[in-house]
Amino acid sequence: MTAPVDRTTQPWWRSAVFYQVYPRSFADSDGDGTGDLGGIRDKLGYLELLGVDALWVCPVMRSPMVDGGYDVSDPRDIDPLFGGLEAMDELIAEAHDRHIKITMDLVPNHTSSEHPWFTAALAAAPDSAERARYIFRPGRGPDGAQPPNNWPSIFGGPAWTRVTEADGSPGDWYLHIFAPEQPDLNWDNPEVAADFEQTLRFWLDRGVDGFRLDVAHGMAKPNGLPDLAEVSTKMLVHDDSDLRFNNPGVHDIHRRIRKVLDEYPDAVAIGEVWVDDNTRFSEYVRPDELHLAFNFRLAETAFTSDAVRAAIENSLAAVGPVEATPTWTLSNHDVEREVTRYGGGAEGVARARAMMMVELALPGAVFIYNGSELGLPNADDLPEAALRDPVWERSGHTERGRDGCRVPIPWEGAAPPFGFTTAAESWLPIPSQWAALTVEAQLEELGSTVSLYRMAIELRGVRKEFAGPDIEWFGCPADCLAFRRPGGLVCVLNASTAPIALPPGDVLLASARPEHGKLPANAAAWLV
Ligand code: GLC
């Protein structure tokens, strides 16, 4: 029999359950309607009960909050909105007391347009050292009135904005793959890398256990910034043929980052890597680059056994060649919540519960987005006036953006804001229909989604049957899948429309109660 995962010799992150906190929406401790670090600290007891190993805290550095904190004006300070540096120190200390690790989101690809570097760049002359930290270019056409190339911004509109020079004349253009308030840094400039290293050390020295690196496939730009062959106006999408991302130079950047992290033996770097090709994806998790990279296949997959199996096989194949650790996630702050993706309503919840059990049965690191454990759906009917995602404005009000998956967590009580804040209103309104989904309503309820998460996370952590780095597929009825871990755990998913007979063994946990030895449709079970 294979031994259980040895957490004393394996790096902690290899089998960790990470919980992604979207701080604005988690819990508000100071009554301004927006969540903050004090709010996370207040809820550490809940997170400990849930059983997660580590938090990934979305950006809390100083920011004008044009893109929810992914526009950073000082990477080595915490925004007062979230409680300042002191609140971060307190969170780190108290989380560590409870054996919960803290990983922070850092944004190496761009800064805020209010970063002192960018204000200095705007004030300086074309071709100055100040501008060389960003990507400034003259425009095309006789009077430079056309952008330097045809790249669109991920948030809509062109990826270039023209500046006005000190004498009032129209000047060069700067690149922003995201919003105009998020100018891209020039990673060919050694000052940029040196500054980022300083940021890494700043937080590691304060006790942070690692980082999620935003747009980790984006920092290197192609030589000469050539035009895209095809320009898609659809927002928030890019693929492997997209010149703006995944350029070979990015790997040198990751090697430099890794060298710093290696000075802090337990620290982890997790990259946001939207790359489909398995070979190219695996390059990011070579032994001297990122420790982990997000694989988004499960987060993009529909609820069919073929699609889920293909996503699992692909994700394993993407790390296999370099012996890296697979990662699993059903959703995050950029995509539709899984309950909605699987069809919504009771069926969507049942499927999301089943998929959580599939994900937690797999070898590797798991990322749970806050609210998934409550079975929250997307809030797709937020009033237009409430929408905050820059996508809404940039698309001329044709795409609503990502606010629907960023609604605050309902904690308790019968009416919004459900204990999230003491303010009358939360920064995004919480649907009143979520009364039955609050933490309070679910915590003592054995059949609730939060209880299922708690049991699943606990079993995954303590049972020896979860050991082993891979899976073996089992035969099973149509529209179902089954796999076995070397340690002996069998996971069965019924994505068909009828109950199926379970294989022999004892049911350790099921997302819906088996009846007469049969697993209902839209359910998963663990057997030993
Ligand atoms: C990443 C983040 C997303 C953000 C973008 C720009 O994709 O996950 O929320 O808008 O980077 O920083």
Side-chain angles (χ1 to χ4, degrees):
M1 175 151 351
T2 323
V5 177
D6 183 352
R7 287 176 181 252
T8 55
T9 57
Q10 291 260 24
W12 63 271
W13 40 265
R14 271 195 195 279
S15 58
V17 175
F18 287 83
Y19 182 88
Q20 178 192 355
V21 177
Y22 195 68
R24 278 200 287 185
S25 298
F26 191 63
D28 174 21
S29 70
D30 63 3
D32 64 357
T34 297
D36 47 43
L37 293 174
I40 304 177
R41 203 189 58 190
D42 290 346
K43 301 296 183 188
L44 283 172
Y46 167 71
L47 297 168
E48 195 178 10
L49 205 63
L50 196 57
V52 299
D53 300 300
L55 306 187
W56 149 26
V57 181
C58 281
V60 284
M61 295 81 75
R62 259 192 202 266
S63 166
M65 299 295 285
V66 169
D67 184 24
Y70 286 95
D71 47 319
V72 180
S73 56
D74 182 351
R76 296 186 284 277
D77 196 6
I78 300 288
D79 201 280
L81 182 70
F82 297 116
L85 261 184
E86 200 183 321
M88 188 68 187
D89 290 338
E90 284 167 8
L91 175 64
I92 295 170
E94 287 198 28
H96 286 172
D97 283 348
R98 293 175 189 263
H99 306 288
I100 296 176
K101 310 246 185 215
I102 298 282
T103 62
M104 284 179 84
D105 213 322
L106 294 184
V107 189
N109 182 70
H110 44 265
T111 69
S112 157
S113 53
E114 291 185 22
H115 188 292
W117 273 6
F118 195 72
T119 27
L122 288 185
D127 302 322
S128 56
E130 286 82 358
R131 290 217 178 161
R133 294 170 181 142
Y134 294 91
I135 304 179
F136 279 82
R137 292 286 183 281
R140 292 201 280 205
D143 49 4
Q146 301 301 316
N149 70 19
N150 69 356
W151 293 6
S153 145
I154 293 286
F155 295 154
W160 296 93
T161 292
R162 193 170 197 185
V163 302
T164 305
E165 302 299 355
D167 64 2
S169 64
D172 282 351
W173 299 67
Y174 69 88
L175 178 69
H176 51 86
I177 300 274
F178 295 90
E181 296 86 353
Q182 293 166 297
D184 280 58
L185 285 162
N186 170 20
W187 273 83
D188 289 335
N189 184 337
E191 238 190 300
V192 169
D195 187 74
F196 194 68
E197 285 185 12
Q198 205 185 324
T199 299
L200 294 170
R201 286 206 173 81
F202 179 86
W203 295 114
L204 289 165
D205 289 339
R206 289 190 105 86
V208 156
D209 301 288
F211 305 102
R212 180 261 190 190
L213 299 178
D214 188 60
V215 203
H217 59 317
M219 290 92 90
K221 305 296 186 286
N223 278 338
L225 308 177
D227 274 341
L228 289 173
E230 236 176 276
V231 176
S232 161
T233 51
K234 178 110 182 63
M235 256 156 273
L236 302 170
V237 288
H238 42 80
D239 59 36
D240 282 5
S241 63
D242 189 331
L243 285 173
R244 294 172 298 174
F245 299 97
N246 197 22
N247 286 287
V250 81
H251 296 291
D252 288 336
I253 299 173
H254 286 300
R255 285 190 198 99
R256 264 191 91 153
I257 293 175
R258 178 61 180 256
K259 280 215 176 80
V260 176
L261 267 91
D262 281 345
E263 293 170 26
Y264 301 79
D266 269 346
V268 63
I270 311 145
E272 184 201 22
V273 176
W274 289 93
V275 171
D276 278 336
D277 178 76
N278 284 340
T279 306
R280 298 189 75 193
F281 183 91
S282 71
E283 291 166 1
Y284 286 83
V285 281
R286 287 178 287 204
D288 59 348
E289 296 198 33
L290 291 161
H291 301 84
L292 300 172
F294 283 106
N295 189 308
F296 296 107
R297 287 207 160 85
L298 272 190
E300 294 179 313
T301 299
F303 189 78
T304 72
S305 59
D306 286 350
V308 171
R309 180 170 171 159
I312 294 172
E313 284 178 336
N314 252 305
S315 306
L316 293 172
V319 293
V322 289
E323 291 183 23
T325 300
T327 63
W328 310 101
T329 187
L330 297 177
S331 58
N332 62 35
H333 64 296
D334 291 327
V335 302
E336 191 174 48
R337 283 193 175 274
E338 60 269 32
V339 165
T340 304
R341 192 169 73 248
Y342 299 146
E347 192 176 65
V349 173
R351 291 173 168 179
R353 289 162 58 100
M355 284 302 298
M356 175 275 283
M357 288 189 56
V358 169
E359 153 182 80
L360 282 172
L362 291 163
V366 175
F367 292 82
I368 296 166
Y369 178 45
N370 61 196
S372 280
E373 81 278 19
L374 304 175
L376 298 185
N378 242 52
D380 288 326
D381 49 4
L382 292 172
E384 292 185 352
L387 298 179
R388 301 286 188 85
D389 189 340
V391 165
W392 174 240
E393 287 303 325
R394 298 271 298 164
S395 69
H397 298 183
T398 58
E399 296 199 32
R400 292 172 65 90
R402 301 160 293 179
D403 291 319
C405 67
R406 298 174 173 179
V407 168
I409 299 295
W411 289 98
E412 60 190 33
F418 296 116
F420 164 75
T421 178
T422 52
E425 284 178 15
S426 47
W427 76 278
L428 279 177
I430 312 179
S432 52
Q433 306 88 293
W434 287 9
L437 298 177
T438 63
V439 172
E440 180 186 51
Q442 294 198 40
L443 216 45
E444 299 299 323
E445 195 59 59
L446 217 59
S448 71
T449 301
V450 96
S451 296
L452 184 69
Y453 264 82
R454 280 179 65 186
M455 289 185 277
I457 294 170
E458 184 179 352
L459 290 169
R460 184 184 188 272
V462 300
R463 295 288 300 222
K464 62 183 187 317
E465 290 88 351
F466 287 79
D470 44 23
I471 61 169
E472 178 196 341
W473 293 102
F474 263 32
C476 64
D479 302 325
C480 297
L481 62 79
F483 59 84
R484 184 181 182 280
R485 294 286 296 278
L489 177 82
V490 173
C491 176
V492 181
L493 172 72
N494 181 2
S496 77
T497 51
I500 55 159
L502 281 167
D506 295 329
V507 176
L508 195 59
L509 190 67
S511 67
R513 192 197 302 265
E515 281 183 26
H516 313 296
K518 292 195 160 191
L519 181 67
N522 300 319
W526 290 347
L527 296 101
V528 291

